[in-house]
Amino acid sequence: MSILNRKLLIRPYVSIGLVVVLFLGTSGVIIYFQKTLLEIEEALPIKLAKQESDIRVLINDMGHLVHSIDFARTDQSPKTFRMVVRLTLQIEQHLEKISEDYQFNDVLGASAVHARLSPAIFDIKGWLTDGLYNFEPNSAQTMKVAETRARHAHEEAEILLQQVSRTAIDVLTEQSLRIDNFRSIMIITLTALAIMTIGLVILGFRLQNIVFALKESEEQIRYRANYDSLTNLPNRLNFTEHLSDALARNRRDQGQIALLFIDLDRFKTINDTLGHDFGDELIRQVATRICQAVRETDVVSRLGGDEFTVLLANMTDEIHASIIAKGILEQLARPFLLFGHEVYSGASIGITVSPQDGADAMTLLKNADMAMYEAKDQGRNTFRFFTAQMTDRARQFLELDKEMRRALTQNELQIRFQPIFELHDRSLVGVEALLRWQHPDKGLILPDDFIEVAEETGLIEDIGHWVLRRACFEAMAWLEHDLHPGFYLAINISMRQFKGGLDRKRLSEILDETGFPADKLLLEITETLLMDDDARIREVLSDFREMGVRLAVDDFGTGYSALSYLREFPVNTLKIDRTFIQDISTSSSNRRLVETIISMAHGLDLVTIAEGVESSDQDVLLSELGCDMGQGYYHCKPVAAAEIDKLTAVTAPRVKAV
Ligand code: C2E
Ligand code: MG
Ligand code: MG
């Protein structure tokens, strides 16, 4: 489980714990306040009741005193008198106690009672012990005065007691009102606090979710930056880092690593013809198969498109790299099932080894790429180890490209024309335009030395356009002569020109510009172009045929084209490759092969041209085999337009049109 996932699991527990703590805390506070309030509520009435009862006891005693004095006045016995004195002392003590007890806590006005009764008791006690004026302490007169004083004091105390009761009720009412208010405020405050807490917790959760989402998208961004979204394999950036790390480790441990560069052989065709969904599915399945063919520790990545790399670290032997490459090729040679369609792809692999071939990531990637192209050149579905010569070739390639661009602008390109003759009567039936490069230093360069590079770099699009315009323009001179009715100008067209936008419109523009008639133009295309099975090319070729332009398959027999293509494409001429012609007079198998091609072509209503006819034997034999036309050094080498002009000026017998 990733660290991120673990964090995602832990965080909610922390939040829930926080909520529980807050909830318990708030509840605790509420319970505490409630309890305190109850205590206050209960304590006050008890206190009031005690004060009230103390005062009531005092007033009762005062009542007793009044009755006792009254009784003692009539009784006149010393015993009764002593009882009155004792009661007076008792009341005095009681008064002192009340005064002390409620000195600081006089809620009900005990001091008022004290103030009323104390002087009376003081007087009565004095009179009863010292006597009154000239009366004896226990005389009837003294007792009478004392009784009157006691009665008045008692009555006043009674009135005060009533006030005390009212005060007690007022105090309790006020107190309970205050407590009620306090309780309400407290409950409102705590409720608000609780709501705020819940709000904060919810906010916290939401913030946390936002943080998680941000974290997640950050992870995703990081993932996207490092991994290919289609295959989930490391991407170029990530792979380069792996490679650099492995190289650094290697320097330390003095080990060896190999880098495999894999490119699918038929991906583009599958992608173009079946669509991107099929292409994507193929890439996914290829990724899975490559991973199955390597060790756990090897790093497989997708650089983009149909390019994959494998990093083999800790290699002890180069053989190991070739075993892995072979395993991958075997895996990829098996058919792929794409949405119910069975397709074959195959791959080419380039291998480079460090430290022998290079010590940095960029060099190794470049080497492996070069080796991969070499593997493709060797006929695909194979692997090649990088060699130093490949670097030289790459350098030459770049140099050539630069020079060719200059040649195009500096008029270094020229066109030679090679005549094509009817074999049975030697009449001139056409010419093939062949490109030449008059290099200022290197002299004349033939197309085989530069066309391939121009095709790879794409410069052939401009060169091809130039050839079409130039050849048509130069050939215009011959049209004034009395030519063979089927006379044609053949021009080689590279597949790349179609991809670069050669179509009906562009060809019409050239023909309009030069004035060359479409029905005298024959375009030579290769077998590989037919194999490409590109609907657009097929459409363009049909357009050309509609315009009256003829089409020939050049170098027939060297490619792997299925014969069915000849029926499907609107071609009308087959040019049998020179390699079949060159030993036709000595090799019976070649002769039979050429014979078969000719009869098959005629069966399909196609005209045949033999290329590279170098001897009269070949010329005679081809004529016997029924080949229609021939082109070769035996008849004429490629020459300048002026030479052809001379040839066309000779009236040629008209026998057969192409
Ligand atoms: P190709 O179209 O098959 O042209 C015939 C080649 O055979 C020419 O080579 C020609 O000089 C050569 N040839 C003719 N007769 C004989 C013979 O009797 N013996 C031998 N050994 N060779 C003979 P070239 O001119 O060097 O052209 C080579 C190839 O370059 C052409 O093969 C064609 O595929 C390509 N090419 C030439 N010009 C152009 C062009 O303008 N555009 C494109 N895309 N390709 C061109
Ligand atoms: Mg040709
Ligand atoms: Mg040819």
Side-chain angles (χ1 to χ4, degrees):
M1 192 189 295
S2 75
I3 293 171
L4 175 80
N5 288 346
R6 235 176 291 151
K7 273 189 192 162
L8 283 171
L9 284 178
I10 289 167
R11 290 286 173 89
Y13 285 129
V14 173
S15 304
I16 290 166
L18 208 72
V19 173
V20 170
V21 168
L22 277 169
F23 176 76
L24 291 177
T26 315
S27 312
V29 170
I30 292 173
I31 291 166
Y32 174 76
F33 270 95
Q34 192 72 9
K35 222 175 132 209
T36 313
L37 283 177
L38 279 174
E39 276 171 13
I40 293 170
E41 248 176 330
E42 278 169 12
L44 190 70
I46 291 168
K47 198 197 283 176
L48 290 178
K50 180 145 187 343
Q51 272 190 28
E52 209 180 332
S53 107
D54 281 348
I55 292 166
R56 206 176 281 284
V57 167
L58 187 68
I59 289 167
N60 258 351
D61 287 350
M62 273 303 283
H64 266 122
L65 183 66
V66 172
H67 290 299
S68 303
I69 296 173
D70 184 37
F71 185 67
R73 190 167 53 86
T74 48
D75 181 19
Q76 287 289 314
S77 79
K79 190 182 155 205
T80 318
F81 180 72
R82 274 200 302 279
M83 190 190 77
V84 171
V85 172
R86 220 177 24 250
L87 196 56
T88 311
L89 286 172
Q90 184 187 320
I91 292 170
E92 190 183 40
Q93 278 169 8
H94 202 156
L95 270 170
E96 269 169 32
K97 193 169 176 300
I98 284 176
S99 162
E100 275 169 24
D101 280 359
Y102 305 125
Q103 204 171 5
F104 302 107
N105 199 6
D106 185 8
V107 186
L108 295 178
S111 55
V113 177
H114 186 267
R116 291 268 193 258
L117 295 185
S118 269
I121 292 299
F122 181 79
D123 286 350
I124 294 165
K125 193 182 122 197
W127 294 336
L128 291 179
T129 49
D130 299 336
L132 187 70
Y133 314 115
N134 40 11
F135 301 121
E136 287 294 308
N138 56 350
S139 70
Q141 291 84 347
T142 305
M143 293 298 270
K144 176 80 182 144
V145 176
E147 189 201 335
T148 311
R149 185 89 169 95
R151 196 177 295 278
H152 281 153
H154 180 247
E155 278 166 10
E156 280 184 57
E158 284 270 336
I159 293 163
L160 276 171
L161 183 62
Q162 280 169 15
Q163 281 175 9
V164 162
S165 296
R166 271 202 302 280
T167 308
I169 288 164
D170 288 349
V171 168
L172 278 178
T173 311
E174 198 181 316
Q175 192 70 5
S176 79
L177 210 70
R178 255 195 235 139
I179 286 171
D180 273 355
N181 286 345
F182 185 72
R183 184 178 285 132
S184 305
I185 289 167
M186 188 196 73
I187 285 170
I188 288 168
T189 311
L190 287 176
T191 310
L193 201 75
I195 290 170
M196 264 166 59
T197 309
I198 291 168
L200 277 174
V201 170
I202 291 170
L203 191 76
F205 264 113
R206 301 210 78 170
L207 282 176
Q208 212 174 26
N209 284 344
I210 291 168
V211 171
F212 287 161
L214 284 174
K215 265 211 170 303
E216 220 169 312
S217 49
E218 187 190 320
E219 285 286 320
Q220 271 179 6
I221 289 166
R222 203 170 301 142
Y223 189 83
R224 270 169 182 271
N226 285 290
Y227 292 88
D228 168 50
S229 54
L230 190 64
T231 58
N232 288 328
L233 290 177
N235 62 10
R236 180 184 285 271
L237 184 84
N238 195 347
F239 181 75
T240 318
E241 276 170 21
H242 273 294
L243 185 55
S244 301
D245 288 352
L247 287 168
R249 264 199 313 277
N250 250 26
R251 270 193 291 276
R252 243 189 4 251
D253 310 342
Q254 301 193 328
Q256 246 191 350
I257 60 169
L259 172 62
L260 273 59
F261 197 109
I262 307 163
D263 188 282
L264 300 186
D265 286 340
R266 295 199 66 236
F267 176 70
K268 208 178 155 349
T269 317
I270 292 165
N271 208 33
D272 288 351
T273 51
L274 295 174
H276 291 294
D277 288 345
F278 281 75
D280 285 354
E281 180 57 23
L282 176 65
I283 291 293
R284 268 193 287 267
Q285 291 191 21
V286 164
T288 312
R289 289 198 193 174
I290 295 176
C291 290
Q292 282 164 356
V294 301
R295 304 169 301 184
E296 282 263 298
T297 47
D298 300 331
V299 182
V300 180
S301 82
R302 181 181 174 221
L303 295 194
D306 60 343
E307 293 175 346
F308 292 85
T309 46
V310 180
L311 170 64
L312 308 175
N314 308 322
M315 240 195 16
T316 45
D317 200 327
E318 285 180 21
I319 293 172
H320 178 72
S322 47
I323 291 169
I324 297 259
K326 221 164 149 284
I328 294 172
L329 287 176
E330 273 167 18
Q331 284 277 1
L332 302 183
R334 286 192 291 114
F336 292 88
L337 197 65
L338 310 178
F339 309 117
H341 290 250
E342 204 177 65
V343 298
Y344 289 82
S345 175
S348 301
I349 303 179
I351 308 171
T352 189
V353 181
S354 178
Q356 293 92 311
D357 301 341
D360 67 283
M362 283 306 120
T363 310
L364 289 175
L365 271 168
K366 206 174 72 204
N367 290 351
D369 189 29
M370 258 187 259
M372 185 276 292
Y373 272 108
E374 189 69 24
K376 273 211 193 298
D377 279 354
Q378 300 297 316
R380 292 160 190 255
N381 207 23
T382 182
F383 65 88
R384 281 287 172 278
F385 276 91
F386 168 79
T387 60
Q389 285 89 330
M390 290 180 194
T391 331
D392 294 343
R393 237 188 56 156
R395 206 176 300 118
Q396 283 164 10
F397 180 94
L398 291 175
E399 183 69 15
L400 198 60
D401 179 53
K402 204 174 82 194
E403 289 202 305
M404 264 191 299
R405 285 173 199 277
R406 191 205 55 216
L408 198 59
T409 53
Q410 302 291 310
N411 292 328
E412 290 172 22
L413 299 181
Q414 298 170 358
I415 295 182
R416 294 283 176 271
F417 296 92
Q418 187 174 33
I420 298 162
F421 295 96
E422 287 275 8
L423 281 181
H424 77 282
D425 68 355
R426 296 281 169 76
S427 60
L428 176 71
V429 73
V431 286
E432 179 178 6
L434 295 162
L435 186 61
R436 298 289 177 265
W437 178 4
Q438 191 61 50
H439 193 281
D441 309 320
K442 297 175 190 159
L444 192 74
I445 305 180
L446 292 173
D448 281 342
D449 293 333
F450 64 90
I451 288 284
E452 208 180 302
V453 175
E455 280 176 339
E456 271 183 55
T457 61
L459 194 64
I460 193 70
E461 289 167 22
D462 293 338
I463 293 178
H465 189 255
W466 181 87
V467 170
L468 269 168
R469 282 182 67 230
R470 184 79 192 178
C472 288
F473 177 75
E474 291 193 28
M476 278 301 288
W478 315 324
L479 298 183
E480 293 165 10
H481 303 295
D482 185 16
L483 295 170
H484 188 294
F487 181 84
Y488 61 86
L489 165 65
I491 298 178
N492 293 287
I493 301 290
S494 163
M495 176 145 96
R496 187 72 195 248
Q497 286 175 258
F498 289 100
K499 310 248 152 147
L502 177 64
D503 59 3
R504 183 189 200 122
K505 187 169 161 275
R506 204 167 281 185
L507 187 63
S508 302
E509 276 168 9
I510 294 172
L511 295 178
D512 289 349
E513 195 190 336
T514 56
F516 195 82
D519 63 346
K520 295 226 173 313
L521 187 64
L522 182 144
L523 299 181
E524 293 191 5
I525 54 175
T526 56
E527 280 179 300
T528 41
L529 187 122
L530 302 183
M531 271 169 65
D532 199 318
D533 199 16
D534 184 333
R536 205 189 75 84
I537 294 182
R538 207 182 276 226
E539 217 172 279
V540 173
L541 291 179
S542 298
D543 285 350
F544 288 172
R545 288 285 292 130
E546 260 177 43
M547 288 165 71
V549 174
R550 276 168 281 178
L551 300 171
V553 179
D554 202 357
D555 306 336
F556 183 79
T558 52
Y560 308 97
S561 79
L563 295 176
S564 59
Y565 283 122
L566 294 176
R567 246 184 321 141
E568 287 168 27
F569 277 87
V571 289
N572 36 23
T573 304
L574 278 196
K575 294 189 78 171
I576 305 165
D577 192 67
R578 201 178 68 225
T579 47
F580 298 107
I581 310 299
Q582 66 194 8
D583 48 6
I584 190 172
S585 25
T586 49
S587 158
S588 57
S589 62
N590 255 9
R591 195 166 53 241
R592 273 200 302 277
L593 200 68
V594 172
E595 196 178 359
T596 312
I597 293 173
I598 293 169
S599 64
M600 180 219 43
H602 288 165
L604 289 167
D605 221 9
L606 301 172
V607 172
T608 48
I609 305 176
E611 291 187 295
V613 183
E614 289 183 348
S615 67
S616 70
D617 288 355
Q618 291 169 350
D619 180 68
V620 171
L621 199 56
L622 284 162
S623 187
E624 280 173 14
L625 292 176
C627 186
D628 303 300
M629 296 162 197
Q631 165 188 8
Y633 296 164
Y634 172 67
H635 303 114
C636 184
K637 285 201 165 189
V639 290
E643 299 295 319
I644 301 290
D645 203 23
K646 285 182 208 159
L647 278 175
T648 49
V650 181
T651 311
R654 299 162 190 82
V655 181
K656 187 172 177 183
V658 177

